Amino acid sequence: MLPQVQPLPGAISEILASASRNGCLTKADRYGLMAAILEESLSEEEMRAINRLLRAVNRGWIRVTNDSHSQVA
């Protein structure tokens, strides 16, 4: 049996704001996004925010780090 994963309310908007501010997506951010996606009850706005994050990573505007805490770029 898989463990139940549930995102915290407002987690996606906080991850988006933090990644935009710091220029990086941390390991903790990625776990938060994974939890939100696995929940399968995302609003359209939350899905758009996740897509914006993924595009920013793909374009190199936000880098992915292995640190578990935010770094100021």
Side-chain angles (χ1 to χ4, degrees):
M1 180 187 227
L2 293 175
Q4 193 156 24
V5 179
Q6 292 186 335
L8 296 172
I12 294 174
S13 59
E14 180 58 35
I15 291 169
L16 178 63
S18 174
S20 297
R21 182 176 55 249
N22 298 324
C24 66
L25 196 61
T26 65
K27 187 180 283 190
D29 293 337
R30 295 193 313 268
Y31 277 117
L33 292 173
M34 179 186 69
I37 291 169
L38 290 175
E39 180 64 24
E40 296 181 357
S41 62
L42 295 175
S43 68
E44 186 67 29
E45 181 181 340
E46 292 170 321
M47 284 302 299
R48 281 195 299 265
I50 291 172
N51 287 334
R52 281 194 302 274
L53 272 172
L54 294 174
R55 273 193 302 277
V57 169
N58 190 38
R59 292 179 177 171
W61 298 338
I62 294 176
R63 59 190 163 82
V64 177
T65 67
N66 285 326
D67 295 333
S68 60
H69 59 282
S70 297
Q71 297 178 351
V72 177

